[in-house]
Amino acid sequence: MEVQIMAHTFVSMTLFLIILATWIAKGEVVQSFSEIPACGKSFHLGEEPRGLNSSSTARICQRLRGVCFYATLYDQNARIPIYSAYILEQSTTSRPDISSSNWYLEPMLAGIEKPDMQQASTSLVQNNLEQFEESQAVNNDYRNSGLTRGHLNPSQHHSSEAQIATFTYTNMAPKESKLNSGSWNQYENFLRSSILPSCSETHVVTGVIPSGATVQQGVWIHGRVNVPSFFWSAFFCQLKNGGWRTEARLGRNASPFDVQTKTVAELEEILAAQFGEDVTIFPGENSSE
Ligand SMILES: *[C@@H]1O[C@H](CO)[C@@H](O)[C@H](O)[C@H]1NC(C)=O
């Protein structure tokens, strides 16, 4: 009798754990970005873009040592972020000296309930390497791929801990170095030198258009990590002297590596055609012209 009850309890517990593990692995690091106020603040008016999430995306509050710095929508099939959203900040610290072999990974994607990102060398990652590699891109994917680890939320838009927090593989997508160091770099510099000084607050959403939904379509590294066909970005700035300024960019991750200036509405239309849903990058007032 007692054995039966214990067996029953054991089965219930096991079932519970399986359900919990499935929910964490498949579902999300968070169900909604606004669950964590610091995470919700990454978005203009606290509202995440509409039309970009799917059954394979997870919402990540990018947390380093107990503090959430920005938000990422991560596609677990493509193993790249669809976008990262953040507040543009002054960069007063230099790029942290972390080897790409030791950049951060996301335990909660690997089904491990640790809210802080973890460096690849930690025993937590090393002891669960298979789960990490299954659920996200890692350094080995990028090695010898001929492509750079392209930050969506760039390190030079932040300082100190917020800057370190951008060095996670969940904030990277394979990027041609000519785009990364060319026109896209000019856009990032434009945000720093022209937008930051004239705005009291600027929200940026930077994302990608995957080149295919399955490994049979588009370009992939090792059949694991999708190489996006485009990088895109949109910003919404509250001007210091009143009013607002909002613009978008579309950068081709292939020759001629051009970055086109678009209105937010134009970018939304392009994204809607690619993602098959109506897209709104800045839901709320005054968002698109
Ligand atoms: C996207 O997220 C919203 C808000 O959580 C949800 O209502 C919607 O069903 C999601 N869409 C897809 C395709 O999963």
Side-chain angles (χ1 to χ4, degrees):
M1 184 66 184
E2 228 169 77
V3 171
Q4 251 183 14
I5 290 171
M6 274 181 60
H8 186 83
T9 310
F10 178 75
V11 168
S12 310
M13 273 305 289
T14 310
L15 260 178
F16 172 76
L17 286 174
I18 289 170
I19 290 166
L20 188 72
T22 315
W23 177 74
I24 291 167
K26 168 181 175 173
E28 315 165 348
V29 183
V30 289
Q31 293 283 347
S32 152
F33 286 119
S34 53
E35 267 171 39
I36 297 169
C39 204
K41 272 201 285 189
S42 306
F43 299 98
H44 176 62
L45 300 173
E47 284 198 52
E48 70 178 86
R50 295 196 190 123
L52 297 171
N53 60 309
S54 69
S55 57
S56 62
T57 55
R59 294 178 175 96
I60 303 175
C61 285
Q62 298 283 12
R63 212 179 102 147
L64 173 66
R65 296 190 269 267
V67 181
C68 176
F69 290 102
Y70 61 100
T72 295
L73 184 74
Y74 191 77
D75 189 317
Q76 292 170 284
N77 289 345
R79 295 192 180 87
I80 48 173
I82 296 299
Y83 65 73
S84 284
Y86 61 96
I87 294 176
L88 181 64
E89 299 177 299
Q90 191 139 35
S91 189
T92 55
T93 51
S94 53
R95 187 184 161 102
D97 185 20
I98 316 170
S99 152
S100 61
S101 62
N102 204 17
W103 287 1
Y104 288 82
L105 296 167
E106 179 49 58
M108 288 182 82
L109 289 179
I112 299 166
E113 221 180 332
K114 279 256 182 201
D116 282 341
M117 55 177 79
Q118 300 284 322
Q119 281 187 279
S121 65
T122 56
S123 56
L124 183 89
V125 173
Q126 290 304 316
N127 294 340
N128 300 280
L129 208 50
E130 250 173 61
Q131 288 99 297
F132 276 90
E133 290 181 348
E134 184 48 37
S135 60
Q136 58 207 282
V138 298
N139 182 46
N140 263 344
D141 289 310
Y142 286 85
R143 282 182 61 210
N144 306 320
S145 69
L147 293 155
T148 63
R149 300 157 181 82
H151 280 72
L152 268 57
N153 178 5
S155 99
Q156 75 267 30
H157 286 172
H158 306 280
S159 305
S160 308
E161 290 278 289
Q163 187 173 31
I164 295 172
T166 66
F167 288 87
T168 166
Y169 278 100
T170 57
N171 181 45
M172 305 292 152
K175 198 173 185 186
E176 293 284 350
S177 65
K178 281 191 176 152
L179 176 65
N180 204 25
S181 58
S183 306
W184 198 264
N185 189 41
Q186 280 171 23
Y187 165 64
E188 289 177 349
N189 287 343
F190 155 80
L191 287 178
R192 276 200 311 178
S193 55
S194 300
I195 296 301
L196 186 67
S198 52
C199 307
S200 53
E201 186 164 69
T202 305
H203 285 97
V204 184
V205 184
T206 295
V208 303
I209 298 177
S211 57
T214 65
V215 286
Q216 283 77 38
Q217 309 162 314
V219 185
W220 296 67
I221 302 175
H222 302 149
R224 276 176 44 88
V225 181
N226 184 262
V227 180
S229 44
F230 289 91
F231 280 67
W232 55 266
S233 184
F235 66 86
F236 193 106
C237 126
Q238 298 290 341
L239 288 162
K240 278 182 180 159
N241 51 12
W244 41 269
R245 177 175 175 181
T246 182
E247 278 174 28
R249 297 289 187 277
L250 184 66
R252 200 184 310 268
N253 201 24
S255 180
F257 310 105
D258 54 313
V259 174
Q260 295 173 36
T261 299
K262 304 268 178 206
T263 64
V264 173
E266 283 167 348
L267 177 63
E268 285 170 345
E269 238 174 81
I270 292 162
L271 296 179
Q274 295 293 330
F275 286 85
E277 296 261 353
D278 283 347
V279 171
T280 311
I281 298 173
F282 300 114
E285 39 138 37
N286 295 343
S287 51
S288 17
E289 313 83 310

